[in-house]
C-alpha cells in the first residue's frame, strides 16, 4: 500500500474543502481499501465523510423515497418504507455482497464501486480503465463474466452493483454537492459507458460528493422485485440480473420499469421490453415476447455468448414472478 494522508471531516464544509484539494472521499471503505491494498488505487489523500449528516431515509412529499448517501446497505434493505414501497431495492441490497459488507458499505459507496474485472484488479495486466492507453486484456482473454451490452474497443468490464440496477429501472435521481453548490442528475446520466475513455466512470465534477438518492413516486400499487443469477448462492456477483416494477390497473399493465445487470458496462435499462408490456394484459405469452427484446444489441465475446440467452430467461422469469398471469 502506498503512503497517504487521512483526515476526518467534521462537517460538509470541511469535506468539500478537502475534496477541492484533491482528497478522495471514503465512508464504509469496503471497495476502496481493497483496491489500495492491491495498489490498483493510489490516492494521496483520504477524506473520511462518515460523520456527515447523510443517514436519513425519508418519504418525499410526492410519495417517492429519498435515501441518504451514508445509509448503510443493511439499514436501507431493512427499512420498513423501502420494503413496503420498493421491495426491488430491498431485494437487490440483500442479494449483494456478504452480511458483514452490507453492515459497513453505504448507498453512495455502492453506486461508486469499481468493476470486478480481474484484469482491472491485476496491476500486471493491460487495462484502459486503470491505465489509459495500455489496452484491454479482457477482450482477448478469459471474458466469461464480462459485458455484452455497452462495450467498446477499449473496455468490456461490467458494473458490479445490484442496487444500481434497481435504481436504473426506477429512474432514480442523484443529489450531488460540490464546490459550485448543489445539483441533481438523472441516475441514467451518472454512470458513463466506456467509449474511448473507460477510466472516466461517473459524471462527478472534481470535489463533488453524492448526498442522496431519490426514487420518484410511481403509480400505486407498484409490484416490484429483483432476480440475480450467479454461479453460487452467496457472496457472488451477477452473471445476469433483472429489476422489474409493474403497475397493473384494471387488468392492464399501465407502467413498466425494467433494467438488467451483469451484462452491461453500466446498469442496463431495457426500454424495448418496457414498451412491449405497456397497455397489454399479463400472460405467459406476453412475458415471453417482451423478454425476447432483453438482449437487443448484444455483442458477446469469446466466452460469454451464453449471457444473451441467460439474460432473456432471467427477464422472462422475473416478469412472470412480479406480474403473475391472468
Amino acid at each position: 500500500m502506498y503512503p497517504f494522508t487521512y483526515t476526518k471531516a467534521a462537517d460538509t464544509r470541511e469535506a468539500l474543502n478537502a475534496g477541492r484539494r484533491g482528497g478522495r472521499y471514503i465512508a464504509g471503505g469496503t471497495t476502496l481499501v481493497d483496491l489500495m491494498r492491491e495498489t490498483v488505487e493510489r490516492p494521496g489523500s483520504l477524506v473520511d465523510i462518515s460523520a456527515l449528516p447523510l443517514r436519513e431515509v425519508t418519504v418525499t412529499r410526492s410519495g417517492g423515497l429519498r435515501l441518504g448517501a451514508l445509509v448503510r446497505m443493511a439499514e436501507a434493505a431493512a427499512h420498513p418504507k423501502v420494503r413496503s414501497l420498493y421491495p426491488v431495492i430491498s431485494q437487490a441490497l440483500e442479494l449483494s455482497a456478504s452480511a458483514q459488507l452490507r453492515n459497513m458499505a453505504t448507498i453512495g459507496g455502492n453506486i461508486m464501486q469499481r468493476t470486478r474485472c480481474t484484469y482491472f484488479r491485476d496491476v500486471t495486466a493491460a487495462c484502459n480503465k486503470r491505465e489509459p492507453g495500455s489496452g484491454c486484456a479482457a477482450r482477448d482473454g478469459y471474458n466469461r463474466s464480462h459485458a455484452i451490452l455497452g462495450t467498446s474497443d477499449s473496455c468490456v468490464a461490467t458494473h458490479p452493483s445490484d442496487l444500481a440496477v434497481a435504481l436504473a429501472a426506477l429512474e432514480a435521481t442523484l443529489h450531488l454537492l460540490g464546490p459550485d453548490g448543489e445539483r441533481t442528475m438523472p441516475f441514467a446520466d451518472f454512470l458513463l459507458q466506456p467509449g474511448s475513455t473507460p477510466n472516466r466512470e461517473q459524471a462527478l465534477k472534481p470535489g463533488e460528493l453524492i448526498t442522496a438518492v431519490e426514487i420518484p413516486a410511481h403509480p400505486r400499487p407498484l409490484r416490484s422485485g429483483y432476480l440475480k443469477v450467479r454461479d453460487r448462492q452467496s457472496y457472488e456477483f451477477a452473471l445476469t440480473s433483472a429489476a422489474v416494477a409493474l403497475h397493473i390497473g384494471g387488468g392492464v399493465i399501465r407502467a413498466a420499469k425494467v433494467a438488467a445487470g451483469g451484462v452491461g458496462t453500466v446498469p442496463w435499462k431495457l426500454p424495448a421490453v418496457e414498451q412491449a408490456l405497456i397497455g397489454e394484459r399479463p400472460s405467459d405469452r406476453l412475458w415471453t415476447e417482451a423478454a425476447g427484446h432483453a438482449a437487443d444489441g448484444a455483442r458477446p465475446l469469446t466466452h460469454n455468448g451464453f449471457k444473451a440467452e441467460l439474460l432473456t430467461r432471467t427477464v422472462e422469469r422475473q416478469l412472470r414472478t412480479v406480474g403473475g398471469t391472468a
Side-chain angles (χ1 to χ4, degrees), residues 25 36 86-87 89 102 178 181 191 198 246 259 269 272:
Y25 299 125
M36 291 172 65
Y86 300 105
I89 292 178
R102 294 195 295 271
L191 297 175
L246 301 174
K269 186 78 164 166

Side-chain angles (χ1 to χ4, degrees), residues 173-308:
T173 296
L174 292 185
H175 292 255
L176 308 175
L177 178 64
D180 298 328
E182 299 180 29
R183 64 177 179 133
T184 60
M185 171 179 286
F187 184 72
D189 297 337
F190 181 72
L191 297 175
L192 305 178
Q193 293 184 40
S196 60
T197 56
N199 55 304
R200 187 165 183 261
E201 297 177 312
Q202 302 95 18
L204 280 176
K205 296 178 180 177
E208 275 190 322
L209 58 85
I210 302 171
T211 57
V213 178
E214 184 169 330
I215 296 96
H218 289 281
R220 304 291 179 195
L222 186 74
R223 307 177 186 177
S224 72
Y226 186 73
L227 174 63
K228 181 176 182 177
V229 178
R230 47 189 169 171
D231 285 328
R232 59 183 183 186
Q233 285 302 306
S234 178
Y235 195 19
E236 182 61 282
F237 292 86
L239 290 171
T240 59
S241 69
V244 171
L246 301 174
H247 168 55
I248 303 174
V252 174
I253 299 172
R254 307 292 180 182
K257 307 295 178 186
V258 186
V263 291
T265 51
V266 296
W268 205 256
K269 186 78 164 166
L270 299 175
V273 175
E274 295 172 343
Q275 287 304 311
L277 295 168
I278 294 172
E280 302 293 334
R281 293 184 176 277
S283 70
D284 286 338
R285 178 181 176 183
L286 177 64
W287 307 139
T288 301
E289 290 180 350
H293 296 286
D296 286 357
R299 297 174 57 194
L301 302 164
T302 304
H303 303 108
N304 67 2
F306 71 96
K307 279 195 171 184

